[in-house]
Amino acid sequence: MKDSHYDVAIIGAGMSGLAAGIRLAHFGRKVCIFERHNAPGGLNGFYSIAGRKYDVGLHALTNYVAPGVKGTPLGKLLRQLRIEREEFALRPQKQSRIAFPDCSLKFTNDFSVLEAEVMANFPRQADGWRALVQAVRTFDDVSLEAKPLSAREVVAQHLSDPLLIDMIFCPLMYYGSAQERDMEFGQFVIMFKALFLEGFARPLDGVRVIIRVLLEKFRAAGGERRMKCGVAKIIEEQGRVAHLILENGEEITVGQVISSIGFAETMQLCGPTQQVAAERNTGTLSYAETISVYNREPATWGWGDDTIIFFNDSDRFDYSQARAQVDLRSGVICLPNNFEYGAEHLPEGIFRVTALANYQLWAHVPEATYQADKQRWYGEIIRSARRFLPAVDDAVLADAQLATDMFTPRTIRKFTGHLNGAIYGAPHKIRNGRTHLENLYLCGTDQGFLGIIGAMLSGISMANYHVLQGNAARS
């Protein structure tokens, strides 16, 4: 018989929910994570087909810094969750690239590389670039009460070249913006630090390493996790959550609730009175992604230099909802083989490509049409991405191909619950995590800390700020 009361119920077993659960369990709270699916990870999970494991979400863990670097989000995360750095087994990237027509900028986990690239390609922007970097370094991006600012407006105070501006925004938007054509400046700062001032890394075995560590820490701390056991309704009384009704009909009473499933999705659980609030802050930006598996490493074809490539082929970078099922004008190439694994290596070659997509144009087509559209767009997305890599004969790639898969906004909606397949959730974030109910809080995507490290720090911050508080939360 399961317990019917918890000090804290957490909705969703993604990265932020797991981190919040670990933090609370460490301090003796009776906590349970409720997850409607059979696998944890949320937006950053993995799945298996024919014995082969595929990552979803994670291209790279951002905010990577080398051992010994102090005062960083990664260090804070490890300390607060009592995780040893070696448990994540992180391997740094080789290098990444922002590729636009007639211009390319390399960057690595050493910020001086990007700095030199900007100075060489945009010498007239040197002073403005330095001023922007200083503004980023000094901005308080973890303030929970900061006033929203347009990143485009702030950046325009320092940079005047539209190409450089677009090239800087491209990776930051693809890895964290729920807004079309702009970002809130605090989120811009978070992503600028995460990608450029810090960097990329990955465990050899992918996201499942991180998930496994989190699950082990949560279990060891005494937390409870109920899978395939989603929350169907949040019942309120006198401005507070009184109890939760689970999808199996069971009722759970709670002291406090932290929801990691998104603002609009959480408001829907609260019933018709919050429907308007949900509709006003529902995201529309979604992605499609192809995954290709080969019997050799991509370096065989000269694809061994770059870890991640952010590309755009238009005069101006347009980060907005796709007008067709997929927008081929820009995207992200990820080559997981191209991290610094040392003597180890992945057993197969992996080639992933992500592009903006339109949920509405995928959501309602008949199944046969849907499968045909996936097959067609798979080829189109791959062809679009290959323009930014050394040429390889089609027959050579076809001969080396072992498996393929593709997910669409419809897949994202089905397996994450995010309305419209909105990968980064609501366009307007709730930095303090508060909702209309006194004891219901948000963490994760719609609280506003971004990336895998950011998501986990969001869970930790909301657990500390709203539940633990006081001296016990300060370790």
Coordinates of all heavy atoms in Angstrom, one line a residue, residues 295-363:
N295 N 28.3 2.4 -39.4 CA 29.2 1.4 -38.9 C 30.7 1.9 -38.8 O 31.6 1.1 -38.7 CB 29.1 0.1 -39.9 CG 29.6 0.5 -41.3 OD1 30.1 1.5 -41.6 ND2 29.4 -0.5 -42.2
R296 N 30.8 3.2 -38.9 CA 32.2 3.8 -38.7 C 32.0 5.2 -38.2 O 30.9 5.8 -38.3 CB 32.9 3.8 -40.1 CG 32.3 4.7 -41.1 CD 32.8 4.3 -42.5 NE 32.3 3.0 -42.9 CZ 32.6 2.5 -44.1 NH1 33.3 3.2 -45.0 NH2 32.1 1.3 -44.5
E297 N 33.1 5.7 -37.6 CA 33.0 7.0 -37.1 C 33.0 8.1 -38.2 O 33.6 7.9 -39.3 CB 34.2 7.3 -36.2 CG 34.2 6.4 -34.9 CD 35.1 7.0 -33.8 OE1 35.5 8.1 -33.9 OE2 35.3 6.2 -32.8
P298 N 32.3 9.2 -38.0 CA 32.2 10.3 -39.0 C 33.5 10.8 -39.4 O 33.7 11.3 -40.5 CB 31.3 11.3 -38.3 CG 30.5 10.6 -37.3 CD 31.4 9.5 -36.8
A299 N 34.6 10.7 -38.6 CA 35.9 11.2 -38.9 C 36.4 10.5 -40.2 O 37.3 11.0 -40.9 CB 36.9 11.0 -37.8
T300 N 35.9 9.3 -40.5 CA 36.3 8.5 -41.7 C 36.0 9.4 -42.9 O 36.8 9.3 -43.9 CB 35.5 7.2 -41.8 OG1 35.7 6.5 -40.6 CG2 35.9 6.4 -43.0
W301 N 35.0 10.2 -42.9 CA 34.6 11.0 -44.1 C 35.1 12.5 -43.9 O 34.6 13.4 -44.6 CB 33.1 11.0 -44.3 CG 32.6 9.6 -44.3 CD1 33.0 8.6 -45.1 CD2 31.5 9.0 -43.5 NE1 32.3 7.4 -44.9 CE2 31.4 7.7 -43.9 CE3 30.7 9.5 -42.5 CZ2 30.4 6.8 -43.3 CZ3 29.8 8.7 -42.0 CH2 29.6 7.4 -42.4
G302 N 36.0 12.7 -43.0 CA 36.4 14.1 -42.8 C 35.5 14.9 -41.9 O 35.6 16.1 -41.8
W303 N 34.6 14.2 -41.2 CA 33.7 14.9 -40.3 C 34.1 14.8 -38.8 O 33.3 14.6 -37.9 CB 32.3 14.2 -40.4 CG 31.6 14.3 -41.7 CD1 32.1 14.9 -42.8 CD2 30.3 13.8 -42.1 NE1 31.2 14.8 -43.9 CE2 30.1 14.1 -43.4 CE3 29.3 13.1 -41.4 CZ2 28.9 13.8 -44.1 CZ3 28.2 12.7 -42.0 CH2 28.0 13.1 -43.4
G304 N 35.4 14.8 -38.6 CA 35.9 14.6 -37.3 C 36.4 15.8 -36.5 O 36.8 15.7 -35.3
D305 N 36.3 17.0 -37.1 CA 36.8 18.2 -36.4 C 35.8 18.8 -35.5 O 36.1 19.3 -34.4 CB 37.2 19.2 -37.5 CG 38.4 18.8 -38.3 OD1 39.2 18.0 -37.8 OD2 38.5 19.3 -39.5
D306 N 34.5 18.9 -35.9 CA 33.5 19.6 -35.1 C 32.6 18.7 -34.3 O 32.2 17.6 -34.7 CB 32.6 20.4 -36.1 CG 33.4 21.5 -36.8 OD1 34.1 22.3 -36.2 OD2 33.3 21.5 -38.1
T307 N 32.4 19.1 -33.1 CA 31.5 18.4 -32.2 C 30.0 18.8 -32.5 O 29.2 17.9 -32.6 CB 31.8 18.7 -30.7 OG1 33.2 18.3 -30.5 CG2 30.9 17.9 -29.8
I308 N 29.8 20.1 -32.5 CA 28.4 20.6 -32.8 C 28.5 21.8 -33.8 O 29.4 22.6 -33.7 CB 27.7 21.1 -31.5 CG1 27.5 19.9 -30.5 CG2 26.3 21.7 -31.8 CD1 27.0 20.2 -29.2
I309 N 27.7 21.8 -34.8 CA 27.6 22.9 -35.8 C 26.3 23.5 -35.7 O 25.2 22.8 -36.0 CB 27.9 22.4 -37.2 CG1 29.3 21.7 -37.2 CG2 27.9 23.5 -38.2 CD1 29.6 20.9 -38.5
F310 N 26.2 24.8 -35.5 CA 25.0 25.6 -35.6 C 25.0 26.3 -36.9 O 25.9 27.1 -37.2 CB 24.9 26.6 -34.5 CG 24.9 26.0 -33.1 CD1 26.2 25.8 -32.5 CD2 23.8 25.6 -32.4 CE1 26.2 25.2 -31.2 CE2 23.8 25.1 -31.2 CZ 25.1 24.9 -30.5
F311 N 24.0 26.0 -37.8 CA 24.1 26.5 -39.2 C 22.9 27.3 -39.6 O 21.8 27.1 -39.0 CB 24.4 25.4 -40.2 CG 23.2 24.4 -40.3 CD1 22.2 24.6 -41.2 CD2 23.2 23.2 -39.6 CE1 21.1 23.7 -41.4 CE2 22.2 22.3 -39.8 CZ 21.1 22.5 -40.6
N312 N 23.1 28.2 -40.5 CA 22.1 29.0 -41.1 C 22.5 29.4 -42.5 O 23.6 29.8 -42.7 CB 21.9 30.3 -40.2 CG 21.0 31.3 -40.9 OD1 19.8 31.1 -41.1 ND2 21.6 32.4 -41.4
D313 N 21.5 29.3 -43.4 CA 21.9 29.6 -44.8 C 21.2 30.9 -45.4 O 21.3 31.2 -46.6 CB 21.6 28.4 -45.7 CG 20.1 28.2 -45.9 OD1 19.3 28.9 -45.3 OD2 19.7 27.3 -46.7
S314 N 20.5 31.6 -44.5 CA 19.8 32.8 -44.9 C 20.6 34.1 -44.6 O 21.5 34.1 -43.8 CB 18.5 32.9 -44.2 OG 17.7 31.7 -44.4
D315 N 20.2 35.2 -45.3 CA 20.9 36.4 -45.0 C 20.7 36.8 -43.5 O 21.6 37.4 -42.9 CB 20.3 37.5 -45.9 CG 20.7 37.3 -47.4 OD1 21.8 36.6 -47.6 OD2 20.0 37.8 -48.2
R316 N 19.5 36.6 -43.0 CA 19.2 36.8 -41.6 C 18.7 35.6 -40.9 O 17.9 34.8 -41.5 CB 18.2 37.9 -41.4 CG 18.6 39.3 -41.9 CD 19.9 39.8 -41.2 NE 19.8 39.8 -39.7 CZ 19.4 40.8 -39.0 NH1 19.0 41.9 -39.6 NH2 19.4 40.7 -37.7
F317 N 19.2 35.3 -39.7 CA 18.7 34.1 -39.0 C 17.3 34.4 -38.4 O 17.1 35.4 -37.7 CB 19.7 33.9 -37.8 CG 19.3 32.8 -36.9 CD1 18.9 31.5 -37.3 CD2 19.2 33.1 -35.5 CE1 18.5 30.6 -36.4 CE2 18.8 32.1 -34.6 CZ 18.4 30.9 -35.0
D318 N 16.4 33.5 -38.8 CA 15.0 33.7 -38.4 C 14.6 32.5 -37.5 O 14.2 31.5 -37.9 CB 14.1 33.7 -39.6 CG 12.6 34.0 -39.3 OD1 12.3 34.4 -38.2 OD2 11.8 33.7 -40.2
Y319 N 14.7 32.8 -36.2 CA 14.3 31.8 -35.2 C 12.8 32.0 -34.9 O 12.4 32.8 -34.1 CB 15.1 31.9 -33.9 CG 14.9 30.9 -32.9 CD1 15.4 29.6 -33.0 CD2 14.1 31.1 -31.8 CE1 15.2 28.6 -32.1 CE2 13.9 30.2 -30.8 CZ 14.5 28.9 -30.9 OH 14.2 28.0 -30.0
S320 N 11.9 31.3 -35.6 CA 10.5 31.4 -35.4 C 9.8 30.1 -35.8 O 10.4 29.2 -36.4 CB 10.0 32.5 -36.3 OG 10.2 32.3 -37.7
Q321 N 8.5 30.0 -35.5 CA 7.8 28.8 -35.8 C 7.9 28.5 -37.3 O 7.7 29.4 -38.2 CB 6.3 29.0 -35.4 CG 5.5 27.7 -35.6 CD 4.1 27.9 -35.2 OE1 3.4 28.8 -35.6 NE2 3.6 26.9 -34.4
A322 N 8.2 27.3 -37.7 CA 8.3 26.9 -39.1 C 7.0 27.1 -39.8 O 5.9 26.8 -39.3 CB 8.8 25.4 -39.2
R323 N 7.1 27.6 -41.1 CA 5.9 27.8 -41.9 C 5.5 26.5 -42.6 O 4.3 26.2 -42.8 CB 6.1 28.9 -42.9 CG 6.2 30.2 -42.2 CD 6.2 31.4 -43.3 NE 7.5 31.4 -43.9 CZ 8.6 32.1 -43.5 NH1 8.5 32.8 -42.3 NH2 9.7 32.1 -44.1
A324 N 6.5 25.6 -42.8 CA 6.2 24.2 -43.3 C 6.4 23.3 -42.2 O 6.6 23.7 -41.0 CB 7.2 23.9 -44.5
Q325 N 6.3 22.0 -42.4 CA 6.4 21.0 -41.4 C 7.8 21.2 -40.7 O 8.0 21.0 -39.5 CB 6.2 19.6 -41.9 CG 4.8 19.2 -42.1 CD 4.6 17.8 -42.5 OE1 5.3 17.4 -43.5 NE2 3.7 17.1 -41.9
V326 N 8.8 21.5 -41.5 CA 10.2 21.7 -41.1 C 10.8 22.9 -41.8 O 10.5 23.1 -43.0 CB 11.1 20.4 -41.3 CG1 12.5 20.7 -40.9 CG2 10.5 19.2 -40.6
D327 N 11.6 23.7 -41.1 CA 12.3 24.8 -41.6 C 13.7 24.4 -41.9 O 14.5 24.2 -40.9 CB 12.2 26.0 -40.7 CG 12.8 27.3 -41.3 OD1 13.5 27.2 -42.3 OD2 12.5 28.4 -40.7
L328 N 14.1 24.3 -43.1 CA 15.5 23.8 -43.5 C 16.5 24.9 -43.5 O 17.7 24.7 -43.8 CB 15.4 23.1 -44.8 CG 14.6 21.8 -44.9 CD1 14.5 21.3 -46.3 CD2 15.1 20.8 -43.9
R329 N 16.1 26.2 -43.2 CA 17.1 27.3 -43.4 C 18.2 27.3 -42.3 O 19.2 27.9 -42.5 CB 16.3 28.6 -43.3 CG 15.4 28.8 -44.5 CD 14.6 30.1 -44.3 NE 13.7 30.1 -43.1 CZ 13.1 31.2 -42.6 NH1 13.3 32.3 -43.2 NH2 12.4 31.1 -41.6
S330 N 17.9 26.7 -41.2 CA 18.9 26.6 -40.1 C 18.7 25.3 -39.3 O 17.8 24.6 -39.6 CB 18.7 27.8 -39.2 OG 17.4 27.8 -38.5
G331 N 19.7 25.1 -38.5 CA 19.6 23.9 -37.7 C 20.9 23.6 -36.9 O 21.8 24.5 -36.8
V332 N 20.9 22.4 -36.3 CA 22.1 22.1 -35.4 C 22.5 20.6 -35.8 O 21.7 19.7 -35.9 CB 21.7 22.1 -33.9 CG1 23.0 21.8 -33.1 CG2 21.1 23.4 -33.5
I333 N 23.8 20.5 -36.1 CA 24.4 19.2 -36.3 C 25.1 18.8 -35.0 O 25.9 19.6 -34.5 CB 25.4 19.2 -37.5 CG1 24.7 19.6 -38.8 CG2 26.1 17.9 -37.6 CD1 25.6 20.0 -39.9
C334 N 24.9 17.6 -34.6 CA 25.6 17.0 -33.4 C 26.3 15.7 -33.8 O 25.7 14.8 -34.4 CB 24.7 16.8 -32.2 SG 25.5 16.0 -30.8
L335 N 27.6 15.7 -33.6 CA 28.4 14.5 -33.9 C 29.0 14.0 -32.5 O 30.1 14.3 -32.1 CB 29.6 14.9 -34.8 CG 29.1 15.3 -36.2 CD1 30.1 16.2 -36.9 CD2 28.8 14.1 -37.1
P336 N 28.2 13.1 -31.8 CA 28.7 12.6 -30.5 C 30.0 11.9 -30.5 O 30.6 11.9 -29.4 CB 27.5 11.7 -30.1 CG 26.3 12.1 -30.9 CD 26.9 12.6 -32.2
N337 N 30.5 11.4 -31.6 CA 31.8 10.8 -31.6 C 32.9 11.8 -31.4 O 34.0 11.4 -31.0 CB 32.0 10.1 -33.0 CG 31.0 9.0 -33.3 OD1 29.9 9.3 -33.7 ND2 31.4 7.8 -33.0
N338 N 32.6 13.1 -31.6 CA 33.7 14.1 -31.6 C 33.8 14.8 -30.3 O 33.9 16.1 -30.2 CB 33.4 15.1 -32.7 CG 33.6 14.5 -34.1 OD1 34.1 13.4 -34.2 ND2 33.1 15.1 -35.1
F339 N 33.8 14.0 -29.2 CA 34.2 14.5 -27.9 C 35.6 13.9 -27.6 O 36.0 12.9 -28.2 CB 33.2 14.2 -26.8 CG 31.9 15.0 -26.9 CD1 30.9 14.7 -27.8 CD2 31.7 16.1 -26.1 CE1 29.7 15.4 -27.8 CE2 30.6 16.9 -26.1 CZ 29.6 16.5 -27.0
E340 N 36.3 14.4 -26.6 CA 37.6 14.0 -26.2 C 37.5 12.7 -25.3 O 37.6 12.8 -24.1 CB 38.4 15.1 -25.6 CG 38.6 16.3 -26.5 CD 39.7 16.1 -27.5 OE1 40.2 14.9 -27.6 OE2 40.0 17.0 -28.3
Y341 N 37.3 11.6 -25.9 CA 37.1 10.4 -25.2 C 38.4 9.7 -24.8 O 38.4 8.6 -24.1 CB 36.2 9.4 -25.9 CG 34.8 9.8 -26.2 CD1 34.3 9.9 -27.5 CD2 34.0 10.2 -25.2 CE1 33.0 10.4 -27.8 CE2 32.7 10.7 -25.4 CZ 32.2 10.7 -26.7 OH 30.9 11.1 -27.0
G342 N 39.5 10.2 -25.3 CA 40.8 9.6 -25.0 C 40.9 8.2 -25.8 O 40.6 8.2 -27.0
A343 N 41.3 7.2 -25.1 CA 41.5 5.9 -25.7 C 40.2 5.2 -26.0 O 40.1 4.2 -26.7 CB 42.4 5.0 -24.8
E344 N 39.1 5.7 -25.3 CA 37.8 5.1 -25.6 C 37.1 5.7 -26.8 O 37.5 6.7 -27.3 CB 36.9 5.3 -24.3 CG 37.4 4.6 -23.1 CD 36.5 4.9 -21.9 OE1 36.5 6.0 -21.4 OE2 35.8 3.9 -21.5
H345 N 36.1 5.0 -27.3 CA 35.3 5.6 -28.4 C 34.0 4.9 -28.4 O 33.7 3.9 -27.9 CB 36.1 5.4 -29.7 CG 36.3 3.9 -30.0 ND1 35.4 3.1 -30.7 CD2 37.4 3.1 -29.8 CE1 35.9 1.9 -30.8 NE2 37.1 1.9 -30.3
L346 N 33.0 5.6 -29.1 CA 31.7 5.1 -29.3 C 31.8 3.9 -30.2 O 32.5 3.9 -31.2 CB 30.7 6.1 -29.8 CG 30.5 7.3 -28.9 CD1 29.6 8.3 -29.6 CD2 29.8 6.9 -27.6
P347 N 30.9 2.9 -30.0 CA 31.0 1.7 -30.9 C 30.5 1.9 -32.3 O 30.8 1.1 -33.2 CB 30.1 0.7 -30.1 CG 29.2 1.5 -29.3 CD 30.0 2.7 -28.9
E348 N 29.7 3.0 -32.5 CA 29.2 3.2 -33.8 C 29.2 4.7 -34.1 O 29.4 5.6 -33.2 CB 27.7 2.8 -33.9 CG 27.6 1.3 -33.7 CD 26.1 0.8 -33.6 OE1 25.3 1.6 -33.1 OE2 25.8 -0.3 -34.0
G349 N 29.1 5.1 -35.3 CA 29.1 6.5 -35.7 C 27.7 7.1 -35.6 O 26.7 6.4 -36.0
I350 N 27.5 8.3 -35.0 CA 26.2 8.9 -34.8 C 26.2 10.3 -35.4 O 27.1 11.0 -35.2 CB 25.9 8.9 -33.3 CG1 25.9 7.5 -32.7 CG2 24.5 9.5 -33.1 CD1 25.8 7.6 -31.2
F351 N 25.1 10.6 -36.1 CA 25.0 11.9 -36.8 C 23.5 12.3 -36.5 O 22.6 11.7 -36.9 CB 25.2 11.7 -38.3 CG 25.0 12.9 -39.1 CD1 25.8 14.0 -38.9 CD2 24.2 12.9 -40.2 CE1 25.6 15.2 -39.7 CE2 24.0 14.0 -41.0 CZ 24.7 15.1 -40.8
R352 N 23.4 13.4 -35.7 CA 22.1 14.0 -35.4 C 22.0 15.4 -36.0 O 22.9 16.2 -36.0 CB 22.0 14.0 -33.8 CG 22.0 12.7 -33.2 CD 22.1 12.8 -31.7 NE 20.9 13.4 -31.1 CZ 20.7 13.7 -29.8 NH1 21.7 13.4 -28.9 NH2 19.6 14.3 -29.4
V353 N 20.7 15.6 -36.5 CA 20.5 17.0 -37.0 C 19.1 17.4 -36.4 O 18.1 16.7 -36.5 CB 20.4 16.9 -38.5 CG1 20.2 18.4 -39.1 CG2 21.6 16.3 -39.1
T354 N 19.1 18.7 -35.9 CA 17.9 19.2 -35.4 C 17.5 20.5 -36.2 O 18.3 21.3 -36.6 CB 18.1 19.7 -33.9 OG1 18.6 18.5 -33.2 CG2 16.9 20.2 -33.2
A355 N 16.2 20.6 -36.4 CA 15.7 21.8 -37.2 C 14.3 22.2 -36.6 O 13.6 21.4 -35.9 CB 15.5 21.4 -38.6
L356 N 14.0 23.5 -36.8 CA 12.7 24.0 -36.3 C 11.6 23.3 -37.1 O 11.7 23.0 -38.3 CB 12.6 25.5 -36.5 CG 13.5 26.4 -35.6 CD1 13.7 27.7 -36.2 CD2 12.8 26.5 -34.2
A357 N 10.5 23.1 -36.4 CA 9.3 22.4 -37.0 C 8.0 23.0 -36.5 O 8.0 23.7 -35.5 CB 9.4 20.9 -36.7
N358 N 6.9 22.6 -37.2 CA 5.6 23.2 -36.8 C 4.7 22.1 -36.3 O 4.3 21.1 -37.0 CB 5.0 23.8 -38.1 CG 3.7 24.5 -37.8 OD1 2.8 23.9 -37.3 ND2 3.6 25.7 -38.3
Y359 N 4.4 22.2 -35.0 CA 3.5 21.2 -34.4 C 2.2 21.0 -35.1 O 1.8 19.8 -35.3 CB 3.3 21.5 -32.9 CG 2.3 20.6 -32.2 CD1 2.7 19.3 -31.8 CD2 1.0 21.0 -32.0 CE1 1.8 18.5 -31.2 CE2 0.1 20.1 -31.4 CZ 0.5 18.9 -31.0 OH -0.4 18.0 -30.4
Q360 N 1.5 22.0 -35.4 CA 0.2 21.9 -35.9 C 0.2 21.2 -37.3 O -0.8 20.4 -37.6 CB -0.4 23.3 -36.1 CG -0.6 24.1 -34.8 CD -1.6 23.4 -33.9 OE1 -2.5 22.6 -34.3 NE2 -1.4 23.6 -32.6
L361 N 1.3 21.3 -38.0 CA 1.3 20.6 -39.3 C 1.7 19.2 -39.2 O 1.6 18.4 -40.2 CB 2.3 21.4 -40.3 CG 1.9 22.8 -40.6 CD1 2.9 23.4 -41.5 CD2 0.5 22.9 -41.2
W362 N 2.2 18.7 -38.0 CA 2.5 17.3 -37.8 C 1.4 16.6 -37.0 O 1.2 15.4 -37.1 CB 3.8 17.2 -37.0 CG 5.0 17.4 -37.8 CD1 5.8 18.6 -37.9 CD2 5.7 16.5 -38.7 NE1 6.9 18.4 -38.7 CE2 6.8 17.1 -39.2 CE3 5.4 15.2 -39.0 CZ2 7.7 16.5 -40.1 CZ3 6.2 14.5 -39.9 CH2 7.4 15.2 -40.4
A363 N 0.7 17.4 -36.2 CA -0.2 16.8 -35.1 C -1.4 16.0 -35.6 O -1.8 15.0 -35.0 CB -0.6 17.9 -34.2

